[in-house]
């Protein structure tokens, strides 16, 4: 057990489905899923209670299907099912590390995961189980970013951690511009006005209304998630 005290008691980790692909162009890359599970375990060992939301873009993205002529609602439901597959994959890796994990779906599918019941989910967290919330909000037209902010608010999380490929929010793409500047802090309104790509507008507005800070950090940096909870690390804080 890591004796380093966590700066947060309960957190939401939001990662994209693409983060699970590794160098592949599609699907789950087991070594990458295992690496992310190790990052989650490092934070769990500090005593923090962890919620997770994983996107489905590595398998199916509703907006992409809609753009190709598929009916939007159907495409979004297909994307929600993709998030359940990713959640089950992450659950398998976490439990291989000895961490009790529950997949909780907004769309009932009792054979593979639990339905979303808020009080039951809170109890799982109190028992130090990792809760992976799948199937978005259960409604089309809402992203997994919005689902993460919604569930974080319902669970009483102290922050949403958005794991990305870069170590924070920049004024322009750091992969394309050498002079890109990283923000240490950004207000909710600034993130919306400048369209900084932190999360979609609905998610940011929901976080603002519930005074829920968003911590943007690099999921590719080994130990990055843990270091922030230990009061170190490089990140951008989006807040009031």
């Amino acid at each position: 057990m890591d004796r380093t005290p966590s700066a947060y008691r309960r957190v939401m980790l939001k990662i994209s489905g693409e983060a699970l692909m590794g160098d592949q162009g599609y699907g789950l890359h087991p070594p990458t899923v295992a690496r992310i599970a190790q990052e989650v375990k490092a934070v769990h060992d500090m005593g923090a209670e962890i919620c997770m939301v994983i996107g489905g873009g590595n398998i199916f993205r509703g907006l992409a299907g809609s753009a190709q002529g598929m009916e939007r609602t159907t495409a979004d439901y297909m994307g929600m099912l993709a998030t359940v597959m990713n959640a089950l994959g992450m659950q398998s890796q976490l439990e291989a590390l000895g961490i009790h994990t529950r997949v909780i779906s907004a769309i009932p599918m009792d054979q593979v995961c639990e339905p979303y019941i808020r009080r039951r989910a809170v109890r799982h967290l109190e028992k130090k189980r990792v809760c992976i919330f799948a199937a978005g909000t259960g409604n089309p037209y809402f992203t997994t970013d919005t689902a993460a902010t919604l569930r974080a608010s319902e669970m009483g999380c102290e922050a949403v951690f958005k794991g990305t490929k870069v170590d924070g929010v920049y004024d322009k793409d750091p992969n394309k511009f050498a002079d890109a500047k990283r923000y240490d802090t950004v207000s909710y309104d600034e993130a919306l006005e400048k369209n900084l790509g932190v999360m979609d507008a609905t998610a940011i507005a929901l976080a603002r209304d519930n005074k829920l800070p968003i911590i943007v950090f690099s999921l590719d940096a080994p130990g990055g998630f843990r270091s922030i909870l230990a009061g170190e690390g490089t990140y951008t804080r989006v807040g009031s």
Side-chain angles (χ1 to χ4, degrees):
M1 188 77 172
D2 188 343
R3 297 299 178 188
T4 306
S6 172
Y8 297 89
R9 178 183 61 86
R10 182 178 294 169
V11 298
M12 166 64 73
L13 174 62
K14 167 62 172 71
I15 60 176
S16 66
E18 287 89 344
L20 306 184
M21 288 194 307
D23 295 329
Q24 301 175 157
Y26 178 82
L28 288 165
H29 182 238
T32 300
V33 181
R35 179 183 63 78
I36 295 172
Q38 286 283 1
E39 298 284 333
V40 174
K41 180 181 186 300
V43 170
H44 184 269
D45 287 348
M46 298 171 74
E49 298 170 5
I50 305 169
C51 307
M52 293 182 70
V53 168
I54 307 171
N58 57 320
I59 298 171
F60 188 87
R61 185 178 290 279
L63 270 176
S66 178
Q68 293 173 18
M70 186 177 289
E71 196 269 322
R72 173 66 189 271
T73 302
T74 299
D76 278 358
Y77 278 122
M78 291 172 68
M80 290 179 216
L81 296 179
T83 71
V84 177
M85 295 170 69
N86 284 339
L88 291 171
M90 181 60 68
Q91 178 187 41
S92 177
Q93 290 288 359
L94 286 168
E95 294 196 330
L97 297 173
I99 299 174
H100 295 295
T101 306
R102 297 291 185 269
V103 173
I104 301 170
S105 173
I107 299 174
M109 46 187 86
D110 296 345
Q111 283 81 358
V112 295
C113 50
E114 294 184 7
Y116 176 66
I117 300 171
R118 190 186 72 84
R119 286 179 178 271
R120 182 188 292 176
V122 169
R123 186 65 180 137
H124 286 321
L125 292 169
E126 290 171 348
K127 291 183 177 182
K128 303 300 180 184
R129 296 166 182 160
V130 172
C131 290
I132 307 177
F133 295 100
T137 65
N139 301 290
Y141 296 95
F142 290 95
T143 66
T144 50
D145 279 349
T146 300
T149 309
L150 174 64
R151 296 292 183 239
S153 300
E154 291 177 309
M155 292 298 105
C157 291
E158 295 171 351
V160 176
F161 281 73
K162 175 75 182 285
T164 68
K165 291 187 175 296
V166 292
D167 58 357
V169 178
Y170 286 77
D171 59 350
K172 48 192 169 185
D173 190 342
N175 295 317
K176 295 179 180 177
F177 301 95
D179 62 341
K181 293 190 298 182
R182 184 179 60 80
Y183 296 97
D184 287 328
T185 59
V186 179
S187 70
Y188 300 114
D189 291 338
E190 190 176 5
L192 289 168
E193 288 166 11
K194 294 183 177 179
N195 195 25
L196 293 175
V198 177
M199 286 181 161
D200 68 83
T202 305
I204 295 172
L206 185 59
R208 179 188 61 192
D209 292 348
N210 289 284
K211 297 179 173 58
L212 186 67
I214 303 167
I215 309 295
V216 183
F217 72 106
S218 173
L219 197 63
D220 290 344
F225 187 24
R226 180 199 172 282
S227 66
I228 297 170
L229 272 79
E232 305 160 2
T234 303
Y235 58 91
T236 298
R237 184 182 191 276
V238 182
S240 53

